[in-house]
Amino acid sequence: MKLPCPITGPKPYHHGDLRRALLEAASRVLEREGPNALSLRAVAREAGVSPAAPYHHFKDKSELMLAISEEGFDQLYKFMLQSSDADAPPMERVAAIGVAYVEFAKAHPSIYRVMYDCSRDLESLPDKAHKAEDGAFSLLKKAMIDLGVVSSDQEVDLELACIAAWCAAHGLAEMVGFRQFDSLKAKMGGEKAFLAGVLSHLGMFGQARKRG
Amino acid sequence: MKLPCPITGPKPYHHGDLRRALLEAASRVLEREGPNALSLRAVAREAGVSPAAPYHHFKDKSELMLAISEEGFDQLYKFMLQSSDADAPPMERVAAIGVAYVEFAKAHPSIYRVMYDCSRDLESLPDKAHKAEDGAFSLLKKAMIDLGVVSSDQEVDLELACIAAWCAAHGLAEMVGFRQFDSLKAKMGGEKAFLAGVLSHLGMFGQARKRG
DNA sequence: GTCTCAATCTAAACGTTGTCAAGATGAACT
DNA sequence: AGTTCATCTTGACAACGTTTAGATTGAGAC
């Protein structure tokens, strides 16, 4: 006999929202043991259910990963939002978004990896897989419009500029993730200076920084 | 009784360079079934040996992947080299290198993925894992020096610019790999225009293109 | 030429994974 | 109360990475 949690509301069946519990268990496994240890069985174990239980909530492993990915992009969006002061000048806002992106990837490397690994695997359902990014992407788009590098009526160019910015941030996030650049960082006096230095060479981020 | 191959020369033991055969088998498996199907057993099967045979040539799976990655970076280097005419003006050379990078990733998506997946997994041995990139990276470096955006004596800034270019190319390669951007490409009249458009927003590539 | 050795390959096994089919459980509706 | 149906468990299967022990065989020493 399980009484429904008063916070999360009246929960349906046996477990009481196993789906949610699985996602949280997955998150714990990821932080504790890294992305290579993320197996369906490990997640089920962590949640205290049988290995087959997740199949009533996710079609297969890749759907679990997709759900984790969606949560990740949601967190990324929120982090970007809170990192870019809406009252700040557009140039600084764009730069802040870029830095926030890289910082997020560095702070949650396992989740970040899942976010893109499942993008790679799910060529089958591109719609669902990529809708997760939309929040973060449109945040960037707004800042780019305000920046005025591209005129907002030139839809195509705006889109291109945003894609370029996304590419730059993603590339940098991955590089920083699996290379150290230790000696270079030391020469520059810290990682922050290093990141800013690289960004200053990257298109719209560079323009954003030349102002300061 | 196996007579040594007259082309590859006198080969040592039983098989006659199984290591080479395994790498070629892996390449075939990758092209045929994609990166997710790349298992040690599948490679052994493809090469016609027992599942344990590869362990006499590679410590474990990640070392096989590392070897594939090294070959991939070597191919990438050669492709970059042949794509960038040494006599062309530096600006065009830098741009050509960037385009070649993305085209390589698109032409060999499975190999490209292995190249970076094993970078991610092998935090343990960064030296060996990243030495593979050195050829391609120094090619870019030379072009950047010739470009003169950064003065060659400012070592740090040159390094930053190259890292930035690498990030941009890698980010674009990945994005193009798992997103379609079909409608945008259609609006722009083809993929080539699309790629050039994105690159034009990306720092040094942008500068390279503004000339034309 | 024969012997020995060590590198190479195979056979068999272990623990793990993703996934499925069949059955048990129990909340909710009639 | 009884039926229904989503939920969870049990048990199984094939495939995987990896290890151990043993068979094979090329190459150098005598």
Side-chain angles (χ1 to χ4, degrees):
Chain A
M1 212 239 272
K2 252 190 201 340
L3 44 157
C5 171
I7 297 174
T8 54
K11 285 305 171 183
Y13 297 93
H14 302 68
H15 180 110
D17 206 352
L18 178 58
R19 190 191 149 90
R20 178 84 251 134
L22 286 171
L23 286 175
E24 282 164 14
S27 175
R28 254 173 287 141
V29 171
L30 270 179
E31 300 282 357
R32 182 171 5 106
E33 306 172 57
N36 291 335
L38 186 71
S39 66
L40 259 185
R41 293 181 105 105
V43 171
R45 218 176 299 138
E46 174 82 21
V49 294
S50 86
Y55 283 87
H56 294 269
H57 301 271
F58 303 98
K59 193 171 112 279
D60 54 14
K61 186 187 178 184
S62 67
E63 231 183 48
L64 203 215
M65 290 179 66
L66 183 63
I68 298 172
S69 160
E70 276 168 3
E71 292 209 331
F73 276 110
D74 205 55
Q75 283 179 253
L76 172 60
Y77 168 68
K78 282 175 187 152
F79 184 63
M80 280 175 157
L81 196 61
Q82 95 181 39
S83 300
S84 62
D85 184 358
D87 298 332
M91 291 181 175
E92 284 175 18
R93 232 164 77 220
V94 171
I97 287 176
V99 172
Y101 185 99
V102 177
E103 278 179 349
F104 178 88
K106 204 164 168 56
H108 309 285
S110 301
I111 294 177
Y112 185 78
R113 175 142 173 209
V114 171
M115 280 156 54
Y116 279 98
D117 272 359
C118 84
S119 279
R120 279 184 271 256
D121 288 337
L122 289 174
E123 305 123 14
S124 37
L125 32 141
D127 322 328
K128 280 193 109 182
H130 300 314
K131 205 161 51 183
E133 312 173 16
D134 284 356
F137 195 79
S138 64
L139 182 68
L140 171 65
K141 207 186 270 186
K142 272 182 217 151
M144 292 289 259
I145 292 176
D146 294 348
L147 187 57
V149 191
V150 294
S151 53
S152 64
D153 48 58
Q154 277 186 295
E155 275 274 359
V156 170
D157 201 45
L158 171 63
E159 197 77 12
L160 284 179
C162 291
I163 291 172
W166 202 267
C167 289
H170 173 65
L172 182 52
E174 288 228 321
M175 289 296 162
V176 171
F178 51 69
R179 299 208 54 158
Q180 309 304 331
F181 303 117
D182 282 334
S183 66
L184 194 55
K185 281 180 197 164
K187 268 185 214 156
M188 300 190 57
E191 164 154 291
K192 238 184 159 106
F194 168 78
L195 279 185
V198 177
L199 281 174
S200 76
H201 285 277
L202 282 169
M204 66 301 304
F205 296 116
Q207 297 187 32
R209 202 164 160 278
K210 274 176 199 139
R211 199 203 71 116
Chain B
M1 216 242 264
K2 249 187 203 338
L3 44 159
C5 171
I7 297 173
T8 53
K11 284 308 171 183
Y13 295 95
H14 302 67
H15 179 109
D17 205 352
L18 180 56
R19 189 191 150 92
R20 177 83 252 134
L22 286 170
L23 286 175
E24 281 164 14
S27 176
R28 254 173 286 141
V29 171
L30 271 179
E31 300 282 356
R32 180 165 12 100
E33 307 171 59
N36 290 334
L38 185 71
S39 65
L40 261 185
R41 292 180 106 105
V43 172
R45 216 177 300 136
E46 174 81 21
V49 294
S50 85
Y55 283 88
H56 293 268
H57 301 271
F58 303 98
K59 194 172 112 278
D60 52 13
K61 187 186 177 184
S62 67
E63 230 183 48
L64 203 214
M65 291 180 64
L66 183 63
I68 297 171
S69 159
E70 276 168 4
E71 293 210 330
F73 275 111
D74 205 54
Q75 283 180 251
L76 172 59
Y77 167 68
K78 281 174 187 153
F79 184 62
M80 279 175 157
L81 196 62
Q82 94 180 41
S83 300
S84 63
D85 183 358
D87 299 331
M91 290 180 175
E92 284 175 18
R93 233 164 76 220
V94 171
I97 287 176
V99 172
Y101 185 99
V102 177
E103 276 179 351
F104 178 88
K106 204 163 169 58
H108 309 285
S110 302
I111 294 178
Y112 185 78
R113 174 139 173 212
V114 171
M115 281 155 54
Y116 279 98
D117 272 1
C118 86
S119 279
R120 278 185 272 257
D121 288 338
L122 288 174
E123 306 125 14
S124 36
L125 32 142
D127 322 329
K128 280 193 110 180
H130 300 313
K131 203 160 53 184
E133 311 173 16
D134 284 356
F137 194 80
S138 65
L139 182 68
L140 171 64
K141 207 186 267 187
K142 272 180 218 150
M144 291 291 257
I145 292 176
D146 294 348
L147 187 58
V149 192
V150 293
S151 51
S152 65
D153 48 57
Q154 280 185 296
E155 275 274 358
V156 170
D157 201 44
L158 171 63
E159 195 77 14
L160 284 179
C162 291
I163 291 172
W166 201 267
C167 289
H170 173 65
L172 181 54
E174 288 229 318
M175 287 297 162
V176 170
F178 50 69
R179 300 208 54 159
Q180 310 304 331
F181 304 117
D182 281 335
S183 66
L184 194 55
K185 281 180 199 165
K187 266 186 215 155
M188 300 189 57
E191 165 155 289
K192 239 187 158 101
F194 167 78
L195 279 186
V198 177
L199 281 174
S200 77
H201 285 277
L202 282 171
M204 67 298 307
F205 296 117
Q207 296 187 34
R209 200 165 162 279
K210 271 176 200 141
R211 201 203 71 116

